[in-house]
Amino acid sequence: MTKIAPEVKNAFILDARNLISYIQASPKRTVSILNKIFALKNASKILEFTSVEKLCASLQAVYQGIHDKNISFNKDIFILIRAVILKIEECCQQISENNFDPIDVKLYVTSCDKAAAGEIIDTSVFSKKPKVKKSSTNSRQKIDKIIEVHSKAIGEVLNAHEEMIARSYKLNNQINLLKPLETDPSPLKIAAIRKQLAADFKILQTELESSHEEIFNFIKDDEYFVNDHQEIRGFFVYANGVKYLISGEYLSDITYENPLNYVTIQNQLCYKKIEDDKEVFIPIYFLSSLFPGQMKKKSNGLDTIFIAEYQSQRIGIIVDYMQTFISIVKKPLPNCFENFPILKGLVFDEKYDMIPILYIPEILKKFRSLRGYDVKMFEVNTRPRIYRILIVDDSETTREVEKGVLSEFLVDQAMDGIKALEMAKTTQYDLIITDDAMPRMNGEIFLDNLRRMENYTTIPVIAIATQQLEKANAFINKAEFKRSDLLHSVKELLND
Protein backbone atom coordinates (compact mmCIF):
# COMPACT_ATOMS: atom_id res chain seq x y z
CA MET A 1 0.00 0.00 0.00
CA THR A 2 1.16 3.53 -0.80
CA LYS A 3 2.25 5.56 2.21
CA ILE A 4 -0.61 7.81 3.35
CA ALA A 5 -0.06 11.20 4.93
CA PRO A 6 -1.61 11.46 8.43
CA GLU A 7 -3.77 14.47 7.46
CA VAL A 8 -5.18 12.54 4.45
CA LYS A 9 -5.91 9.51 6.61
CA ASN A 10 -7.60 11.64 9.27
CA ALA A 11 -9.69 13.46 6.67
CA PHE A 12 -10.84 10.11 5.26
CA ILE A 13 -11.82 8.80 8.71
CA LEU A 14 -13.70 12.03 9.40
CA ASP A 15 -15.64 11.70 6.12
CA ALA A 16 -16.45 8.06 6.88
CA ARG A 17 -17.71 8.86 10.36
CA ASN A 18 -19.73 11.80 9.05
CA LEU A 19 -21.42 9.38 6.65
CA ILE A 20 -22.14 6.96 9.49
CA SER A 21 -23.63 9.74 11.64
CA TYR A 22 -25.70 11.01 8.73
CA ILE A 23 -27.17 7.56 8.01
CA GLN A 24 -27.91 6.99 11.69
CA ALA A 25 -29.73 10.32 11.90
CA SER A 26 -31.61 10.14 8.56
CA PRO A 27 -31.45 6.58 7.14
CA LYS A 28 -34.21 7.20 4.56
CA ARG A 29 -32.72 10.25 2.79
CA THR A 30 -31.55 8.14 -0.12
CA VAL A 31 -30.39 10.79 -2.59
CA SER A 32 -28.07 12.65 -0.22
CA ILE A 33 -26.84 9.36 1.30
CA LEU A 34 -26.05 7.99 -2.17
CA ASN A 35 -23.93 11.06 -2.95
CA LYS A 36 -21.97 10.68 0.31
CA ILE A 37 -21.46 6.92 -0.20
CA PHE A 38 -20.25 7.51 -3.77
CA ALA A 39 -17.67 10.06 -2.57
CA LEU A 40 -16.40 7.79 0.22
CA LYS A 41 -16.22 4.81 -2.14
CA ASN A 42 -14.04 6.77 -4.59
CA ALA A 43 -11.78 7.97 -1.78
CA SER A 44 -11.47 4.38 -0.51
CA LYS A 45 -10.45 3.21 -3.96
CA ILE A 46 -7.80 5.94 -4.33
CA LEU A 47 -6.37 5.24 -0.87
CA GLU A 48 -6.62 1.44 -1.39
CA PHE A 49 -8.85 0.85 1.64
CA THR A 50 -10.37 -2.20 -0.04
CA SER A 51 -12.63 -3.26 2.85
CA VAL A 52 -14.28 0.16 3.07
CA GLU A 53 -14.55 0.32 -0.73
CA LYS A 54 -16.39 -3.03 -0.85
CA LEU A 55 -18.73 -2.02 1.98
CA CYS A 56 -19.52 1.31 0.31
CA ALA A 57 -20.18 -0.33 -3.06
CA SER A 58 -22.57 -2.83 -1.45
CA LEU A 59 -24.30 -0.16 0.62
CA GLN A 60 -24.65 1.98 -2.50
CA ALA A 61 -26.41 -0.89 -4.31
CA VAL A 62 -28.91 -1.23 -1.45
CA TYR A 63 -29.70 2.49 -1.34
CA GLN A 64 -29.96 2.61 -5.13
CA GLY A 65 -32.54 -0.18 -4.93
CA ILE A 66 -34.48 1.77 -2.30
CA HIS A 67 -34.30 4.93 -4.41
CA ASP A 68 -35.47 3.06 -7.51
CA LYS A 69 -38.30 1.50 -5.47
CA ASN A 70 -37.11 -2.00 -6.33
CA ILE A 71 -36.83 -2.84 -2.63
CA SER A 72 -38.69 -1.43 0.36
CA PHE A 73 -37.10 0.12 3.45
CA ASN A 74 -38.20 -2.41 6.07
CA LYS A 75 -36.90 -3.71 9.39
CA ASP A 76 -34.44 -6.19 7.85
CA ILE A 77 -33.02 -3.60 5.45
CA PHE A 78 -32.56 -1.22 8.40
CA ILE A 79 -30.71 -3.92 10.38
CA LEU A 80 -28.50 -4.67 7.37
CA ILE A 81 -27.62 -0.99 6.84
CA ARG A 82 -26.83 -0.57 10.52
CA ALA A 83 -24.58 -3.65 10.44
CA VAL A 84 -22.69 -2.33 7.39
CA ILE A 85 -22.03 1.13 8.85
CA LEU A 86 -20.85 -0.47 12.09
CA LYS A 87 -18.43 -2.52 10.02
CA ILE A 88 -17.24 0.67 8.30
CA GLU A 89 -16.64 2.16 11.76
CA GLU A 90 -14.61 -0.95 12.65
CA CYS A 91 -12.51 -0.39 9.52
CA CYS A 92 -12.00 3.27 10.46
CA GLN A 93 -10.80 2.27 13.91
CA GLN A 94 -8.31 -0.11 12.35
CA ILE A 95 -7.09 2.58 9.92
CA SER A 96 -6.70 5.07 12.77
CA GLU A 97 -4.38 2.55 14.46
CA ASN A 98 -2.29 2.36 11.24
CA ASN A 99 -3.43 -1.21 10.64
CA PHE A 100 -4.25 -1.42 6.93
CA ASP A 101 -4.83 -5.18 6.70
CA PRO A 102 -8.13 -5.88 4.84
CA ILE A 103 -11.05 -6.90 7.06
CA ASP A 104 -13.25 -9.81 5.99
CA VAL A 105 -16.50 -8.20 4.78
CA LYS A 106 -17.79 -11.08 2.64
CA LEU A 107 -20.88 -11.66 4.80
CA TYR A 108 -21.89 -8.00 4.56
CA VAL A 109 -21.24 -7.75 0.81
CA THR A 110 -23.19 -10.96 0.11
CA SER A 111 -26.14 -9.81 2.24
CA CYS A 112 -26.22 -6.42 0.50
CA ASP A 113 -26.10 -8.09 -2.93
CA LYS A 114 -29.04 -10.30 -1.99
CA ALA A 115 -31.01 -7.36 -0.63
CA ALA A 116 -30.32 -5.27 -3.74
CA ALA A 117 -31.55 -8.19 -5.89
CA GLY A 118 -34.77 -8.41 -3.87
CA GLU A 119 -33.85 -11.72 -2.28
CA ILE A 120 -34.41 -12.74 1.33
CA ILE A 121 -31.61 -11.90 3.77
CA ASP A 122 -30.99 -13.46 7.16
CA THR A 123 -30.32 -10.51 9.46
CA SER A 124 -29.97 -12.77 12.50
CA VAL A 125 -26.36 -13.42 11.45
CA PHE A 126 -25.49 -9.87 12.50
CA SER A 127 -26.74 -10.37 16.04
CA LYS A 128 -25.61 -13.93 16.76
CA LYS A 129 -23.47 -14.35 19.84
CA PRO A 130 -20.62 -16.90 20.02
CA LYS A 131 -21.78 -20.27 21.22
CA VAL A 132 -20.74 -21.13 24.77
CA LYS A 133 -18.90 -24.38 25.37
CA LYS A 134 -20.81 -27.02 27.28
CA SER A 135 -18.13 -27.16 29.98
CA SER A 136 -18.57 -23.48 30.78
CA THR A 137 -20.44 -22.58 33.96
CA ASN A 138 -21.78 -19.17 32.99
CA SER A 139 -25.17 -17.59 33.58
CA ARG A 140 -26.45 -18.67 30.15
CA GLN A 141 -26.17 -22.32 31.17
CA LYS A 142 -28.07 -21.56 34.34
CA ILE A 143 -30.82 -19.94 32.33
CA ASP A 144 -30.98 -23.00 30.07
CA LYS A 145 -31.46 -25.20 33.13
CA ILE A 146 -34.19 -22.86 34.37
CA ILE A 147 -35.88 -23.14 30.97
CA GLU A 148 -35.81 -26.91 31.17
CA VAL A 149 -37.27 -26.90 34.69
CA HIS A 150 -39.86 -24.30 33.80
CA SER A 151 -40.95 -26.21 30.70
CA LYS A 152 -41.57 -29.28 32.85
CA ALA A 153 -43.34 -27.15 35.44
CA ILE A 154 -45.70 -25.75 32.81
CA GLY A 155 -46.65 -29.26 31.73
CA GLU A 156 -47.15 -30.42 35.31
CA VAL A 157 -49.35 -27.45 36.23
CA LEU A 158 -51.44 -27.82 33.08
CA ASN A 159 -51.89 -31.56 33.60
CA ALA A 160 -52.96 -31.01 37.21
CA HIS A 161 -55.30 -28.27 36.08
CA GLU A 162 -56.99 -30.53 33.51
CA GLU A 163 -57.20 -33.40 36.02
CA MET A 164 -58.98 -31.20 38.58
CA ILE A 165 -61.42 -29.98 35.94
CA ALA A 166 -62.31 -33.61 35.15
CA ARG A 167 -62.67 -34.45 38.87
CA SER A 168 -64.94 -31.45 39.47
CA TYR A 169 -67.36 -32.58 36.77
CA LYS A 170 -67.32 -36.13 38.12
CA LEU A 171 -67.98 -35.02 41.70
CA ASN A 172 -70.74 -32.68 40.68
CA ASN A 173 -72.42 -35.48 38.78
CA GLN A 174 -72.24 -37.76 41.82
CA ILE A 175 -73.85 -35.10 43.98
CA ASN A 176 -76.73 -34.76 41.55
CA LEU A 177 -77.25 -38.52 41.46
CA LEU A 178 -77.54 -38.63 45.24
CA LYS A 179 -80.30 -36.03 45.47
CA PRO A 180 -83.21 -38.42 44.68
CA LEU A 181 -81.93 -40.89 47.30
CA GLU A 182 -82.78 -38.52 50.16
CA THR A 183 -86.16 -40.22 50.36
CA ASP A 184 -84.36 -43.51 51.25
CA PRO A 185 -85.07 -45.08 54.66
CA SER A 186 -81.61 -43.84 55.67
CA PRO A 187 -81.87 -40.22 54.56
CA LEU A 188 -79.53 -38.96 57.26
CA LYS A 189 -76.68 -41.19 56.07
CA ILE A 190 -77.19 -40.23 52.45
CA ALA A 191 -77.40 -36.56 53.37
CA ALA A 192 -74.11 -36.92 55.23
CA ILE A 193 -72.48 -38.51 52.19
CA ARG A 194 -73.80 -35.75 49.96
CA LYS A 195 -72.56 -33.16 52.44
CA GLN A 196 -69.09 -34.74 52.41
CA LEU A 197 -69.06 -34.80 48.62
CA ALA A 198 -70.11 -31.17 48.52
CA ALA A 199 -67.24 -30.30 50.85
CA ASP A 200 -64.79 -32.25 48.66
CA PHE A 201 -66.18 -30.43 45.65
CA LYS A 202 -65.62 -27.06 47.34
CA ILE A 203 -62.01 -27.99 48.19
CA LEU A 204 -61.48 -29.08 44.61
CA GLN A 205 -62.82 -25.80 43.29
CA THR A 206 -60.43 -23.90 45.59
CA GLU A 207 -57.51 -25.98 44.32
CA LEU A 208 -58.66 -25.38 40.77
CA GLU A 209 -58.72 -21.61 41.27
CA SER A 210 -55.29 -21.79 42.91
CA SER A 211 -53.89 -23.78 39.99
CA HIS A 212 -55.46 -21.34 37.56
CA GLU A 213 -53.79 -18.43 39.35
CA GLU A 214 -50.49 -20.30 39.47
CA ILE A 215 -50.47 -20.60 35.68
CA PHE A 216 -50.86 -16.86 35.22
CA ASN A 217 -48.28 -16.10 37.90
CA PHE A 218 -45.85 -18.48 36.25
CA ILE A 219 -46.34 -16.78 32.89
CA LYS A 220 -46.10 -13.32 34.44
CA ASP A 221 -43.06 -13.95 36.62
CA ASP A 222 -41.08 -16.22 34.30
CA GLU A 223 -37.57 -14.75 34.60
CA TYR A 224 -36.53 -16.02 31.16
CA PHE A 225 -39.41 -14.50 29.21
CA VAL A 226 -40.36 -11.45 31.24
CA ASN A 227 -38.03 -9.07 29.39
CA ASP A 228 -38.91 -10.23 25.89
CA HIS A 229 -42.68 -10.51 25.64
CA GLN A 230 -44.90 -8.41 23.43
CA GLU A 231 -48.53 -8.37 22.47
CA ILE A 232 -49.33 -9.06 18.84
CA ARG A 233 -52.34 -9.73 16.65
CA GLY A 234 -52.14 -12.83 14.55
CA PHE A 235 -54.10 -15.77 13.23
CA PHE A 236 -54.21 -19.27 14.61
CA VAL A 237 -54.05 -21.57 11.60
CA TYR A 238 -54.01 -25.32 11.11
CA ALA A 239 -51.75 -27.36 8.85
CA ASN A 240 -52.13 -31.14 8.85
CA GLY A 241 -54.22 -30.85 12.00
CA VAL A 242 -51.49 -29.00 13.96
CA LYS A 243 -52.08 -25.49 15.28
CA TYR A 244 -49.71 -22.61 14.52
CA LEU A 245 -49.80 -18.82 14.76
CA ILE A 246 -49.05 -16.52 11.82
CA SER A 247 -48.28 -12.96 12.89
CA GLY A 248 -49.95 -10.17 10.94
CA GLU A 249 -46.56 -8.45 10.55
CA TYR A 250 -45.95 -9.61 6.99
CA LEU A 251 -49.56 -10.15 5.88
CA SER A 252 -51.12 -7.81 3.33
CA ASP A 253 -54.41 -9.64 2.69
CA ILE A 254 -56.49 -12.71 3.49
CA THR A 255 -58.75 -14.08 0.79
CA TYR A 256 -60.74 -17.15 -0.22
CA GLU A 257 -60.58 -18.80 -3.63
CA ASN A 258 -61.98 -21.80 -5.45
CA PRO A 259 -59.10 -24.12 -6.48
CA LEU A 260 -60.67 -24.37 -9.93
CA ASN A 261 -59.73 -20.73 -10.52
CA TYR A 262 -56.00 -21.24 -10.01
CA VAL A 263 -53.68 -20.97 -13.00
CA THR A 264 -50.31 -22.62 -13.63
CA ILE A 265 -47.37 -20.55 -14.88
CA GLN A 266 -44.02 -22.27 -15.49
CA ASN A 267 -45.12 -25.26 -13.40
CA GLN A 268 -46.05 -22.97 -10.51
CA LEU A 269 -49.58 -22.79 -9.10
CA CYS A 270 -50.73 -19.16 -8.98
CA TYR A 271 -53.62 -17.13 -7.63
CA LYS A 272 -54.90 -14.53 -10.11
CA LYS A 273 -55.71 -11.13 -8.65
CA ILE A 274 -56.88 -7.90 -10.28
CA GLU A 275 -54.93 -4.80 -9.17
CA ASP A 276 -55.37 -1.40 -10.85
CA ASP A 277 -57.28 -3.05 -13.70
CA LYS A 278 -54.34 -5.41 -14.32
CA GLU A 279 -54.00 -9.15 -13.78
CA VAL A 280 -51.38 -10.04 -11.16
CA PHE A 281 -50.33 -13.65 -10.63
CA ILE A 282 -49.23 -14.55 -7.10
CA PRO A 283 -47.45 -17.91 -6.54
CA ILE A 284 -49.29 -19.99 -3.92
CA TYR A 285 -48.21 -22.86 -1.67
CA PHE A 286 -49.82 -25.17 0.87
CA LEU A 287 -48.51 -24.60 4.39
CA SER A 288 -49.07 -28.33 4.94
CA SER A 289 -46.31 -29.10 2.43
CA LEU A 290 -43.72 -27.91 4.98
CA PHE A 291 -44.91 -30.16 7.80
CA PRO A 292 -45.38 -33.93 8.21
CA GLY A 293 -48.80 -35.52 7.95
CA GLN A 294 -51.62 -35.37 5.44
CA MET A 295 -53.77 -32.35 4.75
CA LYS A 296 -57.43 -32.84 5.61
CA LYS A 297 -60.00 -32.46 2.87
CA LYS A 298 -62.15 -29.37 3.21
CA SER A 299 -65.91 -29.62 3.41
CA ASN A 300 -66.35 -26.41 1.40
CA GLY A 301 -64.86 -25.65 -2.00
CA LEU A 302 -62.81 -22.60 -1.00
CA ASP A 303 -59.19 -22.33 0.10
CA THR A 304 -58.10 -19.83 2.76
CA ILE A 305 -55.12 -17.88 1.39
CA PHE A 306 -52.83 -15.60 3.39
CA ILE A 307 -51.07 -13.10 1.11
CA ALA A 308 -47.62 -12.46 2.60
CA GLU A 309 -45.09 -9.84 1.47
CA TYR A 310 -41.40 -9.63 2.30
CA GLN A 311 -38.73 -7.54 0.53
CA SER A 312 -40.85 -6.88 -2.57
CA GLN A 313 -41.74 -10.57 -2.88
CA ARG A 314 -45.29 -11.79 -2.51
CA ILE A 315 -46.71 -15.28 -2.10
CA GLY A 316 -49.98 -16.89 -1.09
CA ILE A 317 -50.02 -19.40 1.78
CA ILE A 318 -52.93 -21.84 1.82
CA VAL A 319 -53.92 -23.14 5.27
CA ASP A 320 -56.41 -25.83 6.29
CA TYR A 321 -58.47 -23.24 8.20
CA MET A 322 -57.91 -20.33 10.57
CA GLN A 323 -59.26 -18.31 13.48
CA THR A 324 -58.40 -14.87 14.88
CA PHE A 325 -56.84 -14.38 18.32
CA ILE A 326 -54.70 -11.92 20.34
CA SER A 327 -52.13 -13.33 22.73
CA ILE A 328 -48.78 -12.70 24.43
CA VAL A 329 -45.69 -13.75 22.51
CA LYS A 330 -43.07 -15.44 24.64
CA LYS A 331 -39.65 -15.07 23.06
CA PRO A 332 -36.84 -15.69 22.39
CA LEU A 333 -37.16 -19.43 22.03
CA PRO A 334 -34.96 -21.72 24.14
CA ASN A 335 -31.60 -22.69 22.63
CA CYS A 336 -32.90 -26.14 21.76
CA PHE A 337 -34.94 -24.48 18.97
CA GLU A 338 -32.00 -22.63 17.39
CA ASN A 339 -31.91 -25.08 14.46
CA PHE A 340 -35.56 -24.31 13.64
CA PRO A 341 -35.47 -20.78 12.13
CA ILE A 342 -38.99 -21.33 10.80
CA LEU A 343 -40.21 -20.70 14.39
CA LYS A 344 -40.15 -17.17 15.79
CA GLY A 345 -41.57 -17.66 19.27
CA LEU A 346 -44.40 -19.13 21.35
CA VAL A 347 -47.87 -18.00 22.38
CA PHE A 348 -50.40 -19.41 24.82
CA ASP A 349 -53.86 -19.90 23.36
CA GLU A 350 -57.18 -19.80 25.21
CA LYS A 351 -56.57 -23.33 26.53
CA TYR A 352 -53.05 -22.45 27.74
CA ASP A 353 -51.55 -24.65 25.05
CA MET A 354 -48.18 -23.45 23.78
CA ILE A 355 -48.50 -22.67 20.07
CA PRO A 356 -45.43 -22.02 17.86
CA ILE A 357 -45.28 -18.80 15.83
CA LEU A 358 -44.26 -19.23 12.20
CA TYR A 359 -41.67 -16.81 10.79
CA ILE A 360 -42.93 -15.63 7.39
CA PRO A 361 -39.52 -14.72 5.84
CA GLU A 362 -38.25 -18.23 6.60
CA ILE A 363 -41.50 -19.75 5.31
CA LEU A 364 -41.00 -17.84 2.07
CA LYS A 365 -37.42 -19.07 1.85
CA LYS A 366 -38.57 -22.68 2.31
CA PHE A 367 -41.16 -22.29 -0.43
CA ARG A 368 -38.53 -20.79 -2.73
CA SER A 369 -36.42 -23.92 -2.36
CA LEU A 370 -39.41 -25.98 -3.52
CA ARG A 371 -39.95 -24.02 -6.73
CA GLY A 372 -39.33 -25.92 -9.94
CA TYR A 373 -38.50 -22.93 -12.11
CA ASP A 374 -36.30 -19.84 -12.16
CA VAL A 375 -37.65 -17.73 -9.28
CA LYS A 376 -36.19 -14.45 -10.44
CA MET A 377 -37.51 -14.85 -13.97
CA PHE A 378 -41.03 -15.46 -12.64
CA GLU A 379 -40.88 -12.42 -10.38
CA VAL A 380 -39.54 -10.24 -13.18
CA ASN A 381 -42.36 -11.37 -15.44
CA THR A 382 -45.10 -10.81 -12.86
CA ARG A 383 -43.88 -7.75 -10.98
CA PRO A 384 -44.98 -4.44 -12.53
CA ARG A 385 -41.98 -2.78 -14.15
CA ILE A 386 -41.03 0.79 -13.25
CA TYR A 387 -39.76 2.66 -16.31
CA ARG A 388 -37.11 5.40 -16.19
CA ILE A 389 -37.61 8.44 -18.43
CA LEU A 390 -35.30 11.38 -19.23
CA ILE A 391 -36.80 14.82 -19.99
CA VAL A 392 -34.50 17.18 -21.93
CA ASP A 393 -35.61 20.83 -22.07
CA ASP A 394 -34.03 24.17 -21.19
CA SER A 395 -37.26 25.38 -19.53
CA GLU A 396 -37.53 24.26 -15.91
CA THR A 397 -41.27 24.97 -15.94
CA THR A 398 -41.78 22.73 -18.98
CA ARG A 399 -39.74 19.95 -17.38
CA GLU A 400 -41.77 20.10 -14.16
CA VAL A 401 -45.08 20.05 -16.06
CA GLU A 402 -44.03 16.99 -18.07
CA LYS A 403 -42.68 15.30 -14.93
CA GLY A 404 -46.05 15.87 -13.21
CA VAL A 405 -47.86 14.18 -16.11
CA LEU A 406 -45.50 11.18 -15.80
CA SER A 407 -45.77 10.80 -12.02
CA GLU A 408 -46.16 7.01 -12.28
CA PHE A 409 -42.67 6.72 -13.80
CA LEU A 410 -39.16 7.48 -12.55
CA VAL A 411 -38.21 10.77 -14.22
CA ASP A 412 -34.80 12.49 -14.52
CA GLN A 413 -34.21 15.93 -16.04
CA ALA A 414 -31.52 17.61 -18.17
CA MET A 415 -31.44 21.25 -19.27
CA ASP A 416 -29.73 20.61 -22.63
CA GLY A 417 -28.32 17.95 -24.95
CA ILE A 418 -24.81 17.93 -23.47
CA LYS A 419 -26.07 17.22 -19.97
CA ALA A 420 -28.50 14.62 -21.33
CA LEU A 421 -25.68 12.73 -23.08
CA GLU A 422 -23.65 12.68 -19.87
CA MET A 423 -26.61 11.22 -17.99
CA ALA A 424 -27.32 8.66 -20.73
CA LYS A 425 -23.77 7.33 -20.41
CA THR A 426 -24.26 6.45 -16.72
CA THR A 427 -27.99 5.57 -16.65
CA GLN A 428 -30.04 3.39 -18.98
CA TYR A 429 -33.32 5.14 -19.79
CA ASP A 430 -36.37 3.40 -21.23
CA LEU A 431 -37.65 6.51 -23.02
CA ILE A 432 -36.44 10.07 -23.70
CA ILE A 433 -38.49 13.23 -24.21
CA THR A 434 -36.64 16.17 -25.82
CA ASP A 435 -37.12 19.72 -27.04
CA ASP A 436 -35.25 21.04 -30.10
CA ALA A 437 -34.28 24.66 -29.43
CA MET A 438 -31.85 24.46 -26.47
CA PRO A 439 -28.55 26.21 -25.61
CA ARG A 440 -25.17 24.50 -26.11
CA MET A 441 -26.68 21.53 -28.00
CA ASN A 442 -30.11 21.40 -29.65
CA GLY A 443 -32.40 18.40 -29.91
CA GLU A 444 -31.39 17.40 -33.44
CA ILE A 445 -27.67 17.19 -32.63
CA PHE A 446 -28.47 15.52 -29.31
CA LEU A 447 -30.44 12.75 -31.04
CA ASP A 448 -27.72 12.32 -33.68
CA ASN A 449 -25.18 11.68 -30.89
CA LEU A 450 -27.58 9.57 -28.85
CA ARG A 451 -28.28 7.17 -31.73
CA ARG A 452 -24.54 6.57 -32.06
CA MET A 453 -24.58 4.96 -28.60
CA GLU A 454 -25.10 1.22 -28.95
CA ASN A 455 -27.60 0.94 -26.08
CA TYR A 456 -29.75 3.81 -27.39
CA THR A 457 -30.19 2.87 -31.04
CA THR A 458 -33.74 1.61 -30.46
CA ILE A 459 -34.78 3.47 -27.29
CA PRO A 460 -37.99 5.41 -28.07
CA VAL A 461 -37.76 9.21 -28.22
CA ILE A 462 -40.61 11.74 -28.17
CA ALA A 463 -39.91 15.20 -29.58
CA ILE A 464 -41.98 17.94 -27.96
CA ALA A 465 -40.92 20.82 -30.17
CA THR A 466 -42.04 23.25 -32.86
CA GLN A 467 -41.04 20.81 -35.61
CA GLN A 468 -40.50 17.10 -36.09
CA LEU A 469 -37.04 15.67 -35.38
CA GLU A 470 -35.84 13.09 -37.86
CA LYS A 471 -34.56 10.51 -35.35
CA ALA A 472 -37.48 10.77 -32.91
CA ASN A 473 -40.17 8.08 -32.76
CA ALA A 474 -43.05 10.45 -32.01
CA PHE A 475 -43.77 14.17 -32.27
CA ILE A 476 -45.97 16.46 -30.18
CA ASN A 477 -46.36 20.06 -31.28
CA LYS A 478 -45.29 22.25 -28.37
CA ALA A 479 -47.92 24.87 -29.27
CA GLU A 480 -50.69 22.25 -29.07
CA PHE A 481 -49.35 20.32 -26.05
CA LYS A 482 -51.92 18.28 -24.11
CA ARG A 483 -51.19 16.21 -21.03
CA SER A 484 -53.29 13.31 -22.33
CA ASP A 485 -51.35 13.22 -25.61
CA LEU A 486 -48.02 12.95 -23.79
CA LEU A 487 -49.18 10.16 -21.47
CA HIS A 488 -50.77 8.28 -24.38
CA SER A 489 -47.61 8.50 -26.49
CA VAL A 490 -45.36 7.38 -23.62
CA LYS A 491 -47.49 4.33 -22.78
CA GLU A 492 -47.83 3.41 -26.44
CA LEU A 493 -44.06 3.51 -27.03
CA LEU A 494 -43.37 1.57 -23.84
CA ASN A 495 -46.12 -0.97 -24.60
CA ASP A 496 -47.43 -0.26 -21.09
Side-chain angles (χ1 to χ4, degrees):
M1 173 180 282
T2 308
K3 188 174 181 180
I4 302 170
E7 59 271 17
V8 175
K9 180 188 71 174
N10 293 336
F12 174 84
I13 294 173
L14 180 62
D15 288 342
R17 286 174 174 165
N18 285 339
L19 169 65
I20 292 170
S21 299
Y22 190 82
I23 293 176
Q24 288 174 332
S26 307
K28 295 185 180 181
R29 298 183 65 177
T30 55
V31 175
S32 52
I33 288 174
L34 277 169
N35 292 334
K36 292 178 184 295
I37 294 174
F38 182 76
L40 186 65
K41 183 183 71 173
N42 287 345
S44 304
K45 186 174 183 180
I46 294 170
L47 298 174
E48 299 181 10
F49 296 151
T50 55
S51 298
V52 179
E53 181 189 355
K54 290 177 182 179
L55 289 170
C56 286
S58 300
L59 193 61
Q60 181 182 2
V62 173
Y63 266 105
Q64 191 63 53
I66 295 171
H67 178 264
D68 295 341
K69 299 181 180 178
N70 293 328
I71 58 177
S72 58
F73 195 103
N74 53 37
K75 180 180 177 182
D76 286 324
I77 293 297
F78 176 78
I79 293 173
L80 173 62
I81 291 171
R82 185 178 62 182
V84 173
I85 62 176
L86 288 177
K87 201 66 178 177
I88 293 175
E89 171 58 37
E90 182 183 333
C91 294
C92 289
Q93 183 62 35
Q94 187 184 53
I95 293 169
S96 69
E97 297 169 358
N98 293 321
N99 181 1
F100 303 111
D101 295 333
I103 293 178
D104 183 12
V105 295
K106 184 178 179 181
L107 172 63
Y108 300 83
V109 172
T110 303
S111 298
C112 286
D113 290 344
K114 286 184 178 181
E119 296 182 8
I120 295 174
I121 54 174
D122 181 11
T123 56
S124 65
V125 296
F126 301 118
S127 58
K128 281 185 177 179
K129 297 179 181 178
K131 291 187 177 181
V132 181
K133 294 181 180 180
K134 292 182 179 179
S135 58
S136 175
T137 57
N138 55 23
S139 59
R140 182 68 198 175
Q141 273 195 320
K142 294 178 181 178
I143 292 177
D144 291 341
K145 291 179 180 178
I146 290 172
I147 294 168
E148 183 180 355
V149 172
H150 283 195
S151 298
K152 291 179 180 178
I154 289 175
E156 290 170 0
V157 171
L158 292 177
N159 289 336
H161 188 265
E162 291 177 357
E163 184 180 344
M164 282 187 285
I165 291 174
R167 283 171 55 197
S168 68
Y169 280 109
K170 184 176 180 180
L171 281 172
N172 193 43
N173 185 56
Q174 290 176 335
I175 292 171
N176 291 329
L177 289 175
L178 285 172
K179 285 182 180 179
L181 299 179
E182 290 184 0
T183 56
D184 188 86
S186 305
L188 292 177
K189 185 176 181 180
I190 295 174
I193 295 174
R194 187 165 68 85
K195 185 177 180 179
Q196 182 62 47
L197 285 173
D200 290 342
F201 178 64
K202 188 173 182 180
I203 293 171
L204 183 60
Q205 281 186 317
T206 303
E207 291 178 356
L208 185 58
E209 289 174 1
S210 175
S211 176
H212 187 81
E213 185 177 353
E214 184 180 350
I215 292 174
F216 281 103
N217 288 337
F218 183 85
I219 295 171
K220 181 179 178 182
D221 298 332
D222 190 319
E223 64 183 272
Y224 179 71
F225 290 127
V226 71
N227 296 321
D228 297 288
H229 76 277
Q230 64 180 28
E231 186 171 310
I232 65 166
R233 178 177 291 276
F235 298 88
F236 281 133
V237 301
Y238 290 83
N240 296 336
V242 180
K243 194 174 184 179
Y244 302 94
L245 184 130
I246 294 181
S247 168
E249 181 180 2
Y250 298 99
L251 299 181
S252 61
D253 192 15
I254 300 174
T255 187
Y256 302 89
E257 184 58 270
N258 190 320
L260 297 176
N261 295 331
Y262 298 151
V263 295
T264 301
I265 300 177
Q266 299 183 22
N267 297 322
Q268 171 61 52
L269 199 62
C270 297
Y271 162 61
K272 184 172 70 174
K273 188 178 182 182
I274 305 298
E275 292 183 353
D276 299 327
D277 299 326
K278 293 182 181 179
E279 289 186 347
V280 177
F281 296 94
I282 302 173
I284 54 176
Y285 305 88
F286 290 91
L287 184 60
S288 299
S289 65
L290 298 182
F291 302 104
Q294 179 142 2
M295 183 178 65
K296 295 181 179 180
K297 293 183 179 179
K298 300 179 179 63
S299 56
N300 57 22
L302 299 178
D303 283 335
T304 302
I305 307 176
F306 286 82
I307 306 298
E309 293 188 21
Y310 180 70
Q311 293 189 355
S312 302
Q313 299 178 65
R314 185 161 52 163
I315 65 168
I317 302 174
I318 301 175
V319 301
D320 295 357
Y321 59 96
M322 66 95 176
Q323 65 182 106
T324 308
F325 189 75
I326 300 176
S327 189
I328 302 296
V329 179
K330 295 295 182 179
K331 66 174 188 178
L333 287 169
N335 284 347
C336 58
F337 287 96
E338 65 180 4
N339 294 324
F340 298 90
I342 200 171
L343 302 181
K344 185 180 181 181
L346 296 172
V347 297
F348 288 86
D349 67 2
E350 66 279 6
K351 295 180 179 179
Y352 309 111
D353 290 332
M354 289 183 287
I355 308 299
I357 304 170
L358 300 179
Y359 186 45
I360 290 296
E362 193 66 28
I363 292 282
L364 198 149
K365 187 189 297 185
K366 294 288 184 184
F367 283 139
R368 281 167 62 98
S369 66
L370 298 176
R371 301 186 187 184
Y373 64 96
D374 188 337
V375 178
K376 290 186 178 178
M377 184 61 69
F378 175 82
E379 291 171 350
V380 167
N381 292 336
T382 56
R383 188 187 305 165
R385 180 179 175 184
I386 300 177
Y387 293 96
R388 186 181 288 274
I389 297 174
L390 175 62
I391 297 175
V392 189
D393 199 299
D394 60 319
S395 169
E396 183 179 356
T397 303
T398 300
R399 296 198 305 267
E400 289 299 326
V401 169
E402 293 173 0
K403 181 180 178 180
V405 174
L406 305 174
S407 58
E408 62 186 274
F409 304 99
L410 290 175
V411 178
D412 292 337
Q413 303 178 36
M415 65 179 297
D416 57 37
I418 293 178
K419 180 63 176 176
L421 285 175
E422 292 176 358
M423 296 173 69
K425 289 177 182 178
T426 58
T427 304
Q428 180 62 49
Y429 293 100
D430 300 295
L431 183 141
I432 294 176
I433 299 170
T434 184
D435 188 13
D436 184 21
M438 295 180 291
R440 299 204 299 173
M441 180 184 288
N442 64 23
E444 185 177 358
I445 298 175
F446 163 61
L447 286 185
D448 186 58
N449 283 279
L450 184 75
R451 294 307 189 192
R452 295 175 190 272
M453 298 169 66
E454 185 178 350
N455 54 324
Y456 279 98
T457 55
T458 59
I459 293 297
V461 175
I462 300 175
I464 302 181
T466 55
Q467 60 181 4
Q468 173 69 279
L469 298 182
E470 181 182 351
K471 295 184 179 180
N473 301 88
F475 169 68
I476 297 176
N477 193 322
K478 206 164 190 177
E480 302 173 358
F481 174 81
K482 292 182 181 178
R483 293 170 175 263
S484 58
D485 291 342
L486 174 59
L487 190 59
H488 175 75
S489 297
V490 167
K491 292 196 172 186
E492 186 177 34
L493 289 172
L494 292 176
N495 295 317
D496 187 33

